[in-house]
Amino acid sequence: MKRNCVLAASMLVLTACGAPQDKTAAKSATEPACDLKAESASAAEAIQAGCAVKWIDANVRINQLQSVGTHNSYKVKIPDNEMALIREKNARAAETLDYSHEDLSVQLDKGARQLELDPSDDPDGGLFSHPLARKILADRKEPAEDYDLSVMDKPGLKVIHVTDIDYRSHCLLFTDCLKQVKAWSDAHPDHTPILLMINPKSSGISWPGAAKVLPWGKDAFERMETEIRSVFPIGRIITPDEVKGTHATLREAVTANDGNGGWPLLGKARGRIIFAMDLSPEDNAPYAVDHPSLSGRVAFMTTFPDAPEAAYFTMNEPVKDQDLIKERVSQGFLIRTRADADTMEARSGETARREAAFSSGAQFVSTDYQDPDPRFGTGYSVRLPGGGVTRCDPVNAPKGCNVNAE
């Protein structure tokens, strides 16, 4: 379908409608060109103010950068009386669930460039409309905190952390989560790429009367694909096909990184989204059926290291897997890891895992704590070392990449 293009009078370059725009290409008629072949970003800046980021846009690929993200980004605080129910069953589980996040837009404003969404399949609607925790409270004649669950009756993927007990979300509908991210991205078109990591849920809790969560298979993945495409035009997504380029496989493209495919330069990736599936290789496998090297798909996925589809890995143990993460980053793969887990680091103030995550070179370092939780008094939080939003990757960035990209 043809789309109207508007050519601003001050611009010399017209980009094809719907195509990813190279942010380094368009400049005003009076603006002198930056030296994009300078030996470093800072050298380009020394020659002419404003050229450091343009140097990075032209010379650094998105897998050579590092940003902070958030884990279970949609999660809203569990009310005290519902948390007490969980604690009755399993005190340790309650402790691990005792965190929450601000709105997605606030997280992005604070510098998150990776978000996690956990969809549960609900093709007919209504599977999760009546959480068990609320039923238990009603039986005990205890009031449940007001919460609008009406959208749960609609067909479509639902974004829930743990059905029945940790069901509050900043966006119960998967498409609403996507719309929130797109609205923020539309308002900030020069942002470095956002990784939207998708962790489909196929199980619930074992309590009597709990909802029966549907398994994920090819049909559910097709529904997910349709919902993503209903919100994001393909030009706003960094797809496996784009990364594969002319190579025989996706894995070959990211490891060769020779300009005939591979991860795009930052200048062609600003304002765009990367989708990645966070399941085991076996559970992800149906997503690749009939789609060799994820041809025609919108998302990358964790798989076996030698698989044709290999381009992205979730590797959540940066201390134990430090060397392996560094190796895969050096090979060209994109990695997401975690700086903390299960509220442990926030409670203890221990930072070894956080430091290992950053030094591993994993391009996206996820946390539950963009800001400290004042209840714990440890001051634990995760922000990019040195400040900023996106920095040169400590493992594989080119030598001249020596200023922040955002």
Side-chain angles (χ1 to χ4, degrees):
M1 181 181 295
K2 293 184 178 179
R3 298 160 62 184
N4 292 330
C5 296
V6 178
L7 177 61
S10 62
M11 306 302 285
L12 294 179
V13 179
L14 175 63
T15 302
C17 293
Q21 295 187 22
D22 184 344
K23 303 296 184 180
T24 66
K27 59 180 183 295
S28 69
T30 59
E31 180 186 351
C34 294
D35 182 2
L36 301 182
K37 294 185 178 181
E39 65 179 10
S40 68
S42 59
E45 184 75 12
I47 295 169
Q48 184 177 311
C51 287
V53 170
K54 293 180 181 180
W55 187 97
I56 292 179
D57 282 356
N59 292 285
V60 181
R61 296 183 180 275
I62 62 172
N63 65 310
Q64 298 173 317
L65 298 166
Q66 187 177 64
S67 303
V68 170
T70 58
H71 165 249
N72 294 335
S73 311
Y74 53 88
K75 188 175 171 342
V76 175
K77 181 181 182 296
I78 301 172
D80 291 343
N81 58 354
E82 294 184 30
M83 183 63 80
L85 296 178
I86 303 169
R87 196 173 290 112
E88 287 176 16
K89 295 280 189 177
N90 188 322
R92 176 59 187 143
E95 191 173 84
T96 67
L97 297 175
D98 192 14
Y99 65 94
S100 61
H101 290 290
E102 298 176 282
D103 290 347
L104 298 184
S105 62
V106 175
Q107 295 174 53
L108 292 164
D109 282 340
K110 289 184 174 182
R113 292 297 177 267
Q114 175 261 310
L115 301 173
E116 178 183 347
L117 303 177
D118 295 359
S120 294
D121 193 26
D122 187 13
D124 299 320
L127 280 179
F128 312 112
S129 298
H130 305 287
L132 182 59
R134 300 178 75 85
K135 296 177 185 176
I136 294 173
L137 288 177
D139 290 343
R140 295 182 179 186
K141 304 297 191 274
E142 291 185 44
E145 186 176 289
D146 286 345
Y147 186 64
D148 185 3
L149 288 159
S150 58
V151 296
M152 294 297 232
D153 291 332
K154 296 181 178 181
L157 303 180
K158 307 302 191 301
V159 177
I160 314 166
H161 185 221
V162 183
T163 56
D164 287 301
I165 59 172
D166 191 8
Y167 54 85
R168 286 172 169 79
S169 172
H170 288 301
C171 40
L172 288 168
L173 298 181
F174 183 62
T175 51
D176 283 349
C177 295
L178 299 180
K179 289 173 184 176
Q180 290 178 23
V181 175
K182 184 176 183 296
W184 187 93
S185 178
D186 288 345
H188 303 81
D190 291 327
H191 67 77
T192 48
I194 298 167
L195 174 68
L196 277 184
M197 196 187 77
I198 300 170
N199 180 213
K201 297 292 187 179
S202 294
S203 62
I205 60 173
S206 59
W207 300 7
K212 303 301 181 185
V213 181
L214 299 176
W216 273 73
K218 196 170 188 299
D219 289 345
F221 285 128
E222 294 295 345
R223 287 189 282 274
M224 179 201 75
E225 186 95 0
T226 297
E227 292 197 10
I228 291 173
R229 289 174 181 269
S230 75
V231 175
F232 282 96
I234 201 68
R236 294 287 294 280
I237 303 171
I238 297 172
T239 64
D241 282 336
E242 178 183 347
V243 173
K244 178 176 173 287
T246 60
H247 286 277
T249 68
L250 187 55
R251 186 187 191 283
E252 180 182 296
V254 300
T255 55
N257 215 29
D258 57 5
N260 297 316
W263 302 108
L265 292 165
L266 179 57
K268 292 185 177 180
R270 288 189 182 273
R272 300 173 69 195
I273 310 299
I274 309 164
F275 287 93
M277 300 291 300
D278 175 32
L279 289 172
S280 70
E282 294 86 356
D283 288 338
N284 273 330
Y287 186 66
V289 171
D290 299 326
H291 296 271
S293 284
L294 300 175
S295 174
R297 289 302 203 188
V298 296
F300 299 89
M301 69 182 202
T302 287
T303 184
F304 298 105
D306 295 329
E309 294 78 23
Y312 163 86
F313 296 96
T314 299
M315 301 179 68
N316 286 331
E317 300 298 332
V319 176
K320 178 175 70 73
D321 291 335
Q322 176 83 185
D323 291 342
L324 182 57
I325 293 174
K326 286 183 176 180
E327 178 183 344
R328 290 185 179 174
V329 167
S330 297
Q331 289 173 327
F333 296 110
L334 206 65
I335 310 291
R336 179 266 200 179
T337 194
R338 290 184 66 180
D340 44 74
D342 299 330
T343 75
M344 291 187 295
E345 286 77 13
R347 294 174 188 274
S348 69
E350 173 59 53
T351 61
R353 181 175 179 145
R354 181 184 70 189
E355 304 316 312
F358 282 122
S359 66
S360 73
Q363 292 89 351
F364 296 97
V365 176
S366 181
T367 181
D368 289 322
Y369 299 96
Q370 281 189 299
D371 298 301
D373 188 325
R375 298 175 301 168
F376 303 146
T378 64
Y380 178 87
S381 66
V382 178
R383 294 292 178 98
L384 198 68
V389 172
T390 300
R391 69 169 182 170
C392 303
D393 191 281
V395 170
N396 71 343
K399 183 178 180 181
C401 187
N402 57 9
V403 302
N404 284 347
E406 185 183 1

